[in-house]
Structure formats: C-alpha cells, structure tokens
Amino acid sequence: THGEPDTVAWIDALPQGSVLWDIGENIGVYSLYAAFVRNIRVAAFEPSAASHAALCRNIEINGLDEMIQPFCLALSNLTGIDYLYMANTGAGHSMHAFAQETSVQGAISTRFKQSVIGYSIDDFLDAFDVPPPDYVKLDVDSIETKIIAGGSGTFARHVKSILVEADQPPQRMENSQIIKLLAGMGFQIRTPAGSDSRNYIFDRKP
C-alpha cells in the first residue's frame, strides 16, 4: 500500500461496514486492506486468471472469505463474452484490456487472449444477489469510461464516492469523458491529491 498513499487515505475515510467494489483489483492489496483494517465488505473484480488466483489465495491466507467476494470476470458497458488482451499473463501484471486491444499506453502487444465473461455493472446487479456498492475503486488501465457507462443506474442510485486511477495528467483529465459521465450521474471531482497523482476522487454532489 506504500505506492498510493492517497488510495489508502480514501479507504481510511470509508465508514466501517460499508460496501466497496474494487474493479481491476489485481492480486488484492487494497481489498485486503479495506476488509482487514476498515471492516469493509468488498466485491473484487479481476478477470486475469493468474491475478485472480493470487487474489483468492491472499483472501484465504488472511481468513477474509466472509468479507471479500472475488469474481473472475470483466465489467464493461455490455454483457457478453469477449477476450481479455494481455501482454503478460503473470499474476500482478496490468495494462490488459477487455474487448479491445489497446490500453492507456497504446496498442497491446498481445501475448495471450483469455476468454472472459463480461457484465455491465447494472446487469450484474440485476442478475445476482450481490450487495450494491457504496464506494467504487476503479483501476483497469483501459476501459474506465465503458465501465462507468455500464453502471449509470447503480452509480446514480447507490454510490457515494468513486476513486478512479486514470493514468493521465490533470490538464487532460479536466476535459475527459470520465468527468462528463460522472457529472451526469451527480458526481463532482475532488481536487486531485497532487498534480502528479494518478488517482481522481469523485464525490456525490451535496
């Protein structure tokens, strides 16, 4: 957790007993922190098979299976089956993309494409008895706007605050589709923690 102090500070401020959806959770660092330190229930979404396996093992080691639900699927704007395009399949790697062969760093040098089930957030909640999110952490390096668009009903009804790792400087972020989408759902951007911060926090407008 040393790499992103603003993420830890955001989690530290979440009320105990609330529900966090951690989208693009990787191997589970922030889900484990939220559940263990803050007593927060977590739904963790990680489509990469190796990272998901490591996430599950980390949950097991820490005895947090009652607190964290890990799902090996992708969230997007549509519900269906597609590929997760991956330059590196090892646990803990990032810069994958679901249903497109580009990440925030550009074209993916695909080494492997993994068949993955994808859901929109709204469809996932309609289909399954899972607690809706009070808070959302979104870090997928590629399809943030698609994920947000697919959760418009959920975000507008349930979510109080969202942390997005956007991997773009504030001056580009100010004009981004992410801000426009979330503004339409009733959220405003909090001042970034620092000009070099990759994390942007959106709070429900009072």
Side-chain angles (χ1 to χ4, degrees):
T1 57
H2 296 298
E4 295 186 20
D6 42 342
T7 301
V8 174
W10 180 76
I11 293 172
D12 282 343
L14 304 185
Q16 292 200 21
S18 54
V19 177
L20 169 67
W21 279 26
D22 198 342
I23 302 169
E25 173 34 41
N26 205 284
I27 63 170
V29 172
Y30 296 104
S31 288
L32 294 165
Y33 182 82
F36 190 80
V37 176
R38 297 293 303 148
N39 195 35
I40 287 167
R41 289 185 296 163
V42 182
F45 298 86
E46 178 48 61
S48 160
S51 291
H52 178 78
L55 165 64
C56 290
R57 179 67 178 136
N58 286 335
I59 294 168
E60 179 186 0
I61 289 167
N62 289 278
L64 291 169
D65 45 313
E66 295 283 346
M67 296 293 293
I68 303 173
Q69 291 180 289
F71 299 105
C72 191
L73 56 84
L75 294 175
S76 186
N77 58 328
L78 299 171
T79 294
I81 293 171
D82 212 308
Y83 288 113
L84 181 70
Y85 292 92
M86 313 167 76
N88 193 312
T89 57
H93 282 275
S94 59
M95 298 298 161
H96 316 312
F98 177 68
Q100 65 182 48
E101 216 163 346
T102 55
S103 74
V104 292
Q105 294 183 344
I108 296 169
S109 299
T110 302
R111 180 181 163 203
F112 179 69
K113 51 185 190 178
Q114 176 192 326
S115 289
V116 169
I117 293 172
Y119 277 91
S120 74
I121 291 174
D122 290 347
D123 285 352
F124 186 77
L125 271 175
D126 285 343
F128 302 109
D129 184 19
V130 177
D134 300 307
Y135 301 93
V136 172
K137 177 183 170 292
L138 178 57
D139 179 7
V140 297
D141 307 318
S142 54
I143 60 166
E144 289 85 359
T145 53
K146 289 182 180 179
I147 292 169
I148 293 165
S152 58
T154 301
F155 279 53
R157 277 197 303 274
H158 299 289
V159 177
K160 301 175 180 71
S161 182
I162 305 153
L163 185 143
V164 180
E165 183 175 312
D167 276 313
Q168 48 185 293
Q171 60 271 25
R172 275 183 56 204
M173 187 67 186
E174 291 303 329
N175 300 312
S176 83
Q177 193 64 21
I178 293 172
I179 291 178
K180 292 171 189 167
L181 276 170
L182 288 173
M185 298 172 199
F187 293 88
Q188 61 191 21
I189 190 167
R190 202 187 290 180
T191 305
S195 59
D196 60 343
S197 176
R198 297 179 302 169
N199 296 309
Y200 299 86
I201 296 167
F202 297 83
D203 299 312
R204 177 161 299 289
K205 291 174 187 171

